[in-house]
Amino acid sequence: MTERVDESSIGAHGRTISVEIMGRPYAVPEGLTMLRAMWYTGHEVVRGAGCLGGFCGACAVTYRTKDDVRLRNGLACQTQVEDGMSFYLNFAYYPNRKVIYDLTQLSDPKQDLFKLFPEASLCRNCNACTEACPQGIDVRDGVWKSVFGDFQKVSEMFMDCVMCGQCIPVCIADIAPNHVALYASRAQGARLTPAPDNLLRRVNEIESGKYGEEWKKILAMNEDELKAAGRPTA
Amino acid sequence: MDLIAQSMEKVLKGRDARRSKTVPIRPPEERDKLVHAFHPDYKKEEYHRIRVGPNAGERTVREVVELLESDSPVPNDLDLTPQYRVDVLVVGGGGAGATAALSAHGQGANVLLVTKLRMGDSNTVMAQGGMQVAITEQDSPVTHFFDTLRGGHHKNDPNLLKILVEEGPMAAKWLIELGVLFDRDGSGNLRTKKGGGSTQPRLLTCSDYTGLEIMRVLKDEVLNRQIPILEFSPVVELLTDSEGQCTGAVLKNLDNGQFIVVSAKSVILATGGSGRLHIEGFPTSNHYGATGDALALAYRTGARLAHADTFQYHPTGAVFPEQLAGALVTEGIRSDGGHLVNQNGDRFINELDTRDVVAAAIIRECADGRGVKTPAGRVGVWLDVPMIDQLMGEGSISKRFPAMVRQFERYGIDIRKEPVLVYPTLHYQNGGVAIDVEGRSGTQGLLVAGEASGGLHGRNRLMGNSLLDLIVFGRRSGIAAALRAKSVTAGKLTLAHVLRFRKELEKNAIKPTRVAPIILPDYVRREEIAAAASDP
């Protein structure tokens, strides 16, 4: 039993190019993403693939393009292979420490950041985290803004963060920038932003039983009665 | 000028004329006719009879029949000494699983969460459109109820649906308390957007990263509560006692291939949908592990499925560039006024009709020769994205759809300037394992939450109801599972239901064509790979 959709060839163009996967040379058609190039060349991928849509960060990849000295980071489900490219899947697992906190127990989220993430204020401005980010986030600036307490701005800057973690191993001050930003962002949402009135109003209405009578009538209806009751009036 | 460019010209030139005209929502009879003629759910030759189990006699697509009549990967004589003994086993690391785990843990239960990929790698992270919650003055849970019922062709379970819409506001409040940052308006109220098939604006959004923001927060909270997680450990079989109650599960460690046995007083299946089965040969917007595991697992224990014959084909899957084929173009584009336009530059459907109707209309346009062919041989219609900047002001697309701008930019396409080509993509399993309002399946001790469950959405899920579903029923199933764990003792672990199912297959002379859960789709090319030209 095989799938009728040939995922390994989606995107393939006619011309054949040379790529290196984990140091081994392969010829693949132009136009494939890195992940599809791996399937095309017979690799079984278990760790290293996730949502396949560029959102989950499971396929973090390190690569180099032809004649370029620079190592780059990307997402293997989103990055196209080029002739002379060399890459490997990071498998995105780092045994890094998860700082444990209870948002409801924080006394002052902006001050508590220094207790939970004392290393955050030791950023040495090397900018490696920003360079490593496949989402183009100014990660270094985000760390500084977290330290200075501008959690609102951090939450906006990191809305694109897929938590791939590629900013973690490159940090010379042992900061996990994505986790610092997630803390700032969650604290902003849970503790520093007033609850929305329109939502609270509706919750109160429901809890006070405003719709109770209506539900009784509706749940006693048969399919035809429901059809008639639900016909839009416009 | 090539045909694509010519057609694109028509889209750009016709924009002003299109803006002044509205395409009305067609009457129900006409919409039904369109769906019956062109929606993949009504392609008779793809549907086959199920021969065994609680849904025997019903018809569904070949891919699901094969799954339901599949063999278990577990041998009859497997050693069932448990390595883990817990109150609640949560299977699945997406939004429903994370929510269920947090809720069961909140009740004091001893919880283990196991997942096929990494925690959080799921369809939830990709949900861009938003979450429907009725909060505006003009709106009410009752209006939300009827919108959803119409969208589902009145086949939704009204009791499940009432719970969904009425607990929606509480679910949103719970997420906000966990730190989810929904978009606000100038006065601090939650901003709402209108979704397809809805009479009122009620989509809560986090730009076009709603699912990612929710999943990031839920995962972080699961980690903060120090709930044990086993990643790359999918469930490959459930365990039952002599009375047929679910008492645990067998996992497979994908790193070393070994089985892991778990004893649990309650098991919650939150394994998501089945897009990776590529039903009817469609590409899919789903994640790598969406292989319909819950359907096979629950079915073997005797749990009935609801609406297991209906699937949602999201109207706007990308068809160009080829690398993005099947990837989703968020419905938010249509919510904000983007038009669907055929090869001749004409609109052909109200863009905010329900997904099944819009998908059927796109398929009709392409079948009748009004689609646009891509160089790779796919066909699609235009989605006029740049219109949004014209309607809402320069910069609106960048601000409201950063994920989509980035996705297309990688292939040199600027969606702020150019329309994109789309065709329906397999997106969602409308049905699943039948549940009651507490998330309980027909098998005692086995609960199901999220896309894996069935009944709530009827024959077509309304957009924005899926994120809400996984929070509302994730919470309910987590609480119900924890309460059950307080009242029962750990049961005996047997494979009795597997033996019974294997006998039933044999009795019906069915030779399974698959072993399921499938775990991961097989995309590996088996042909000989040409050696790279070595240039020393």
Side-chain angles (χ1 to χ4, degrees), chain B residues 213-367:
Chain B
E213 164 73 352
I214 290 174
M215 193 68 239
R216 236 180 351 226
V217 165
L218 290 175
K219 175 178 176 178
D220 195 54
E221 189 62 15
V222 170
L223 297 175
N224 274 345
R225 304 258 196 102
Q226 296 176 282
I227 296 170
I229 300 170
L230 294 177
E231 297 183 329
F232 298 100
S233 305
V235 164
V236 292
E237 192 49 84
L238 293 168
L239 296 170
T240 52
D241 66 9
S242 54
E243 278 141 52
Q245 303 190 58
C246 183
T247 51
V250 181
L251 325 177
K252 189 176 181 182
N253 173 342
L254 294 185
D255 291 331
N256 66 8
Q258 288 180 1
F259 291 125
I260 301 167
V261 177
V262 180
S263 158
K265 294 173 189 168
S266 305
V267 176
I268 303 174
L269 292 177
T271 54
S274 50
R276 291 283 153 193
L277 299 179
H278 294 295
I279 288 157
E280 298 191 30
F282 270 80
T284 182
S285 59
N286 285 186
H287 71 85
Y288 195 30
T291 52
D293 299 2
L295 300 180
L297 292 168
Y299 200 67
R300 272 180 215 143
T301 70
R304 197 179 63 79
L305 309 182
H307 306 139
D309 59 335
T310 158
F311 301 87
Q312 185 165 79
Y313 298 81
H314 192 292
T316 57
V319 288
F320 185 84
E322 181 64 8
Q323 289 84 356
L324 290 179
L328 210 65
V329 175
T330 174
E331 183 150 347
I333 300 291
R334 282 175 287 136
S335 294
D336 281 347
H339 284 169
L340 285 168
V341 180
N342 67 18
Q343 190 203 34
N344 308 325
D346 299 323
R347 282 174 80 189
F348 51 88
I349 190 75
N350 183 298
E351 285 80 3
L352 291 184
D353 208 323
T354 52
R355 284 179 172 172
D356 53 348
V357 173
V358 179
I362 294 172
I363 293 171
R364 178 194 63 200
E365 291 304 297
C366 295

Side-chain angles (χ1 to χ4, degrees), chain B residues 67-284:
Chain B
L67 199 65
L68 300 182
E69 297 180 353
S70 63
D71 193 17
S72 167
V74 169
N76 288 344
D77 59 353
L78 183 73
D79 176 5
L80 297 177
T81 314
Q83 278 112 301
Y84 294 87
R85 294 168 195 274
V86 297
D87 291 335
V88 177
L89 173 66
V90 177
V91 188
T99 304
L102 289 172
S103 304
H105 183 262
Q107 296 291 315
N110 162 15
V111 179
L112 174 66
L113 189 151
V114 302
T115 176
K116 180 189 290 185
L117 300 169
R118 301 179 315 166
M119 177 78 202
D121 298 350
S122 57
N123 285 342
T124 304
V125 279
M126 289 189 275
Q128 292 180 268
M131 181 169 108
Q132 295 241 20
V133 183
I135 51 165
T136 64
E137 299 251 15
Q138 303 73 31
D139 199 8
S140 82
V142 173
T143 310
H144 187 181
F145 178 92
F146 280 116
D147 282 353
T148 306
L149 204 56
R150 261 196 316 280
H153 299 270
H154 292 89
K155 298 300 174 199
N156 320 52
D157 178 334
N159 295 302
L160 292 176
L161 184 49
K162 184 245 178 192
I163 296 285
L164 178 85
V165 298
E166 200 164 58
E167 290 188 5
M170 280 74 113
K173 184 165 173 269
W174 182 71
L175 288 174
I176 289 170
E177 284 162 2
L178 287 173
V180 170
L181 284 157
F182 290 114
D183 296 328
R184 306 286 187 108
D185 66 15
S187 56
N189 278 319
L190 291 176
R191 198 165 70 192
T192 52
K193 250 162 96 159
K194 197 163 164 175
S198 307
T199 56
Q200 290 292 332
R202 70 171 77 87
L203 284 169
L204 308 186
T205 53
C206 314
S207 72
D208 62 346
Y209 284 114
T210 314
L212 176 62
E213 164 73 352
I214 290 174
M215 193 68 239
R216 236 180 351 226
V217 165
L218 290 175
K219 175 178 176 178
D220 195 54
E221 189 62 15
V222 170
L223 297 175
N224 274 345
R225 304 258 196 102
Q226 296 176 282
I227 296 170
I229 300 170
L230 294 177
E231 297 183 329
F232 298 100
S233 305
V235 164
V236 292
E237 192 49 84
L238 293 168
L239 296 170
T240 52
D241 66 9
S242 54
E243 278 141 52
Q245 303 190 58
C246 183
T247 51
V250 181
L251 325 177
K252 189 176 181 182
N253 173 342
L254 294 185
D255 291 331
N256 66 8
Q258 288 180 1
F259 291 125
I260 301 167
V261 177
V262 180
S263 158
K265 294 173 189 168
S266 305
V267 176
I268 303 174
L269 292 177
T271 54
S274 50
R276 291 283 153 193
L277 299 179
H278 294 295
I279 288 157
E280 298 191 30
F282 270 80
T284 182

Side-chain angles (χ1 to χ4, degrees), chain A residues 109-121 146-149:
Chain A
K110 292 184 181 183
Q111 283 306 311
D112 290 330
L113 179 129
F114 298 102
K115 277 184 247 159
L116 295 167
F117 302 93
E119 67 286 351
S121 49
S146 301
V147 169
F148 284 116

Side-chain angles (χ1 to χ4, degrees), chain A residues 11-23:
Chain A
H13 303 174
R15 203 168 78 96
T16 299
I17 58 171
S18 303
V19 297
E20 223 177 61
I21 304 174
M22 293 181 278

